[in-house]
Amino acid sequence: MAVMACTSTVAPAPPQAPAAMNTQSCAPTAGDYPQESLRTGQEGVSRIRFSIDAEGKIASMQVARSSGFVALDDASMKKLSQCKFRPGRDTNGNPVGGTTEVDYRWSIHKN
């Protein structure tokens, strides 16, 4: 059985109201663990840096710190692309984008 966790590690500098992320929309499940990684026992933490635009869509993303395994890093970026965001607001109430990082922790737990 594979169990993963997704945790935000670095918050963006808040405008007036920071962007919000629906982590349930992109939290990894056991089925998301790459099969090759399971078979070979690969575990690690992928840190992904990403920017969202003023519409709450991902504008860019990149691996900020690799897990050491391309398959886990790729799976992290795939899951992040499924996230739903609400943009932040500036002091005038206008929507603004921002940049932050999120960790995807991949670990195999055996019963």
Side-chain angles (χ1 to χ4, degrees):
M1 170 186 232
V3 178
M4 288 76 57
C6 170
T7 57
S8 181
T9 57
V10 181
Q16 178 66 17
M21 174 179 172
N22 177 353
T23 57
Q24 291 180 344
S25 65
C26 58
T29 65
D32 295 315
Y33 215 107
Q35 289 301 308
E36 179 68 11
S37 297
L38 278 173
R39 190 179 66 70
T40 59
Q42 296 175 354
E43 298 181 313
V45 178
S46 300
R47 177 168 289 173
I48 309 298
R49 179 177 299 119
F50 65 99
S51 297
I52 60 167
D53 63 20
E55 294 178 0
K57 296 181 179 152
I58 295 177
S60 65
M61 74 171 100
Q62 64 186 32
V63 176
R65 186 179 70 219
S66 176
S67 64
F69 302 101
V70 172
L72 297 179
D73 296 341
D74 288 348
S76 298
M77 291 182 58
K78 180 179 178 182
K79 288 310 294 183
L80 181 62
S81 70
Q82 298 170 1
C83 285
K84 307 286 186 229
F85 298 93
R86 188 179 66 237
R89 301 274 174 187
D90 66 15
T91 55
N92 295 320
N94 299 313
V96 295
T99 300
T100 192
E101 296 177 343
V102 65
D103 281 353
Y104 280 89
R105 184 173 313 279
W106 301 91
S107 57
I108 302 168
H109 297 277
K110 297 177 181 157
N111 293 339

